């Protein structure tokens, strides 16, 4: 899927503030300010915000204006773009990401991953990367699936979970969820992998430390110039993030991701993300599961995008 962000706010329709909906606004927000936000977040994170998302942007960023005590979007954007404002860039980015996720989302991927990793004979721990991990449900689902497949809470697996959004990564690292988030999981699975909270933590579950120990969290911008120190992975989960990028950005990111996939590794995409336009990089293996394309594979000529020259403001 290409084009501007249709799905933006898909999981948080309620975030459009009353003031925005009714046309009453606390802060001046001109079309020029909206365009500037679109350009800045696209250049920084690759996120293409559709022209229809002006209210969503107002709602999400007006909180930053309140927090910084700035009177208008114009003043806020001037503040953001002034030298040395890395911390505000982090808030700005966190405010504009969409983080919808769930445990065992797109469930057919997990048995495929488990069977594939079990078939590999490696002398080192198996390596899995989830590169848009959001609040952690995806990497913990991978950890649970592999603990079950290897029948141990310490399978020979290391999971790297990254995201550009530092706020969701903090949630992921804490590993504490409302118990309704695990309500759909089999009771035995919840008992095996989570501790139920009591007292002040009633109504919550926490990922067991053995499971959490399989996952390492790290901020990483997929658009950053370098992803230092990453070794090739046996599987990469890159699900439901490409939908926020335009095609040239998708191709540029996929080029780097494909290089970090082992020759026999698997690449998992989101259900609405067709990567057939990048068939020189990745070849479809089964529904939304890809493998490295053979050397010299051709790229479709129609609509093949040019690689994006995407500046990265915040280091990974
Ligand atoms: C909709 S969530 C998908 C979560 C999970 N992969 C899933 O499928 O359930 C998209 C995630 O992509 C992250 N994201 C957006 N732009 C990014 C970028 N340039 N680099 C890394 N992560 C990014 C967002 O912060 C968000 O957490």
């Amino acid at each position: 899927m290409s084009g501007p962000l249709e799905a933006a706010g898909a999981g948080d329709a309620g975030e459009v503030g009353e003031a925005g909906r009714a046309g009453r606004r606390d802060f001046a927000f001109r079309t020029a300010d909206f365009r500037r936000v679109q350009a800045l977040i696209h250049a920084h994170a690759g996120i293409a915000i559709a022209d229809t998302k002006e209210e969503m942007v107002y709602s999400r960023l007006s909180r930053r204006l309140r927090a910084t005590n700035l009177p208008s979007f114009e003043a806020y954007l001037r503040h953001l773009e002034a030298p040395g404002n890395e911390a505000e860039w982090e808030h700005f980015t966190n405010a504009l990401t969409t983080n919808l996720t769930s445990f065992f989302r797109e469930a057919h991927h997990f048995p495929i991953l488990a069977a594939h990793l079990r078939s590999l004979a490696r002398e080192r721990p198996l390596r899995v990367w989830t590169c848009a991990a959001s609040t952690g449900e995806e990497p913990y689902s991978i950890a649970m699936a592999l603990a079950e497949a290897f029948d141990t809470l310490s399978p020979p697996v290391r999971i790297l979970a990254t995201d550009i959004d530092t706020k969701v990564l903090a949630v992921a690292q804490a590993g504490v969820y409302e118990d309704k988030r695990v309500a759909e999981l089999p009771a035995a699975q919840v008992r095996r992998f989570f501790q139920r909270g009591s007292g002040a933590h009633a109504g919550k579950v926490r990922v067991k430390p053995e499971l959490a120990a399989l996952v390492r969290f790290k901020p990483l911008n997929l658009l950053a110039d370098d992803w230092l120190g990453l070794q090739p992975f046996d599987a990469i989960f890159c699900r439901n993030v490409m939908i926020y990028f335009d095609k040239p950005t998708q191709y540029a990111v996929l080029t780097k991701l494909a290089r970090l996939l082992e020759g026999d590794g698997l690449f998992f995409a989101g259900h609405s993300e067709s990567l057939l336009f990048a068939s020189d990089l990745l070849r479809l293996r089964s529904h939304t599961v890809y493998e490295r394309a053979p050397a010299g594979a051709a790229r479709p000529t129609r609509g093949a995008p040019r690689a994006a020259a995407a500046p990265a403001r915040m280091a990974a």
Side-chain angles (χ1 to χ4, degrees):
M1 180 169 157
S2 66
L5 179 52
E6 279 312 318
D12 50 19
E15 290 206 9
V16 176
E18 286 302 322
R21 244 185 252 123
R24 289 175 281 110
R25 285 175 169 171
D26 294 339
F27 304 104
F29 184 44
R30 305 162 309 157
T31 300
D33 301 325
F34 176 58
R35 296 268 179 259
R36 190 78 200 125
V37 171
Q38 284 178 307
L40 290 173
I41 196 66
H42 182 256
H44 173 55
I47 296 174
I49 296 183
D51 290 347
T52 53
K53 298 292 176 185
E54 201 167 319
E55 281 311 326
M56 181 200 80
V57 165
Y58 178 85
S59 165
R60 292 182 179 195
L61 285 182
S62 52
R63 292 173 209 158
R64 291 309 310 154
L65 272 71
R66 279 186 201 100
T68 50
N69 221 7
L70 288 162
S72 67
F73 273 73
E74 191 183 8
Y76 173 73
L77 292 171
R78 220 179 308 118
H79 165 71
L80 179 72
E81 292 193 82
N85 268 342
E86 274 69 29
E88 192 52 46
W89 272 100
E90 197 174 324
H91 291 300
F92 174 76
T93 307
N94 291 354
L96 293 174
T97 57
T98 295
N99 311 110
L100 185 71
T101 187
S102 58
F103 285 105
F104 289 98
R105 185 178 191 185
E106 295 170 40
H108 76 283
H109 282 161
F110 298 91
I112 296 173
L113 171 76
H116 184 69
L117 292 194
R118 278 179 60 88
S119 76
L120 296 176
R122 297 274 195 254
E123 290 183 353
R124 55 161 176 80
L126 296 156
R127 286 198 281 264
V128 181
W129 181 18
T130 153
C131 69
S134 188
T135 40
E137 288 86 338
E138 184 173 273
Y140 291 131
S141 300
I142 293 169
M144 285 188 266
L146 297 176
E148 285 169 350
F150 287 89
D151 199 20
T152 166
L153 272 176
S154 324
V157 177
R158 301 286 171 270
I159 301 162
L160 174 66
T162 63
D163 199 288
I164 195 173
D165 184 333
T166 51
K167 213 165 159 188
V168 290
L169 276 181
V171 173
Q173 186 124 37
V176 176
Y177 300 92
E178 300 287 330
D179 56 11
K180 61 176 186 265
R181 306 280 301 163
V182 297
E184 304 284 309
L185 305 190
Q189 197 172 42
V190 177
R191 269 196 308 278
R192 185 169 182 201
F193 297 116
F194 295 88
Q195 297 162 335
R196 284 209 181 268
S198 59
H201 302 291
K204 299 206 167 132
V205 293
R206 181 196 291 272
V207 174
K208 284 194 178 168
E210 300 92 318
L211 198 74
L214 300 176
V215 189
R216 192 165 55 94
F217 294 96
K218 190 173 174 296
L220 186 143
N221 181 354
L222 288 168
L223 250 70
D225 292 335
D226 54 44
W227 301 336
L228 286 180
L230 295 186
Q231 309 236 307
F233 294 90
D234 301 302
I236 296 178
F237 276 58
C238 181
R239 306 191 311 169
N240 304 303
V241 59
M242 288 290 163
I243 47 170
Y244 301 102
F245 300 160
D246 56 26
K247 273 279 186 310
T249 307
Q250 290 183 13
Y251 190 82
V253 171
L254 285 172
T255 302
K256 295 198 288 177
L257 289 171
R259 279 193 211 120
L260 278 170
L261 191 62
E262 287 282 10
D264 53 2
L266 290 185
F267 186 100
F268 295 85
H271 65 281
S272 61
E273 298 169 316
S274 169
L275 308 182
L276 297 176
F277 74 95
S279 57
D280 56 326
L281 304 173
L282 294 166
R283 176 168 72 179
L284 187 65
R285 180 171 165 142
S286 65
H287 182 52
T288 58
V289 183
Y290 293 79
E291 58 195 357
R292 284 259 302 262
R299 181 162 153 202
T301 44
R302 263 176 51 112
R306 282 172 293 115
R313 280 173 189 276
M314 195 168 71

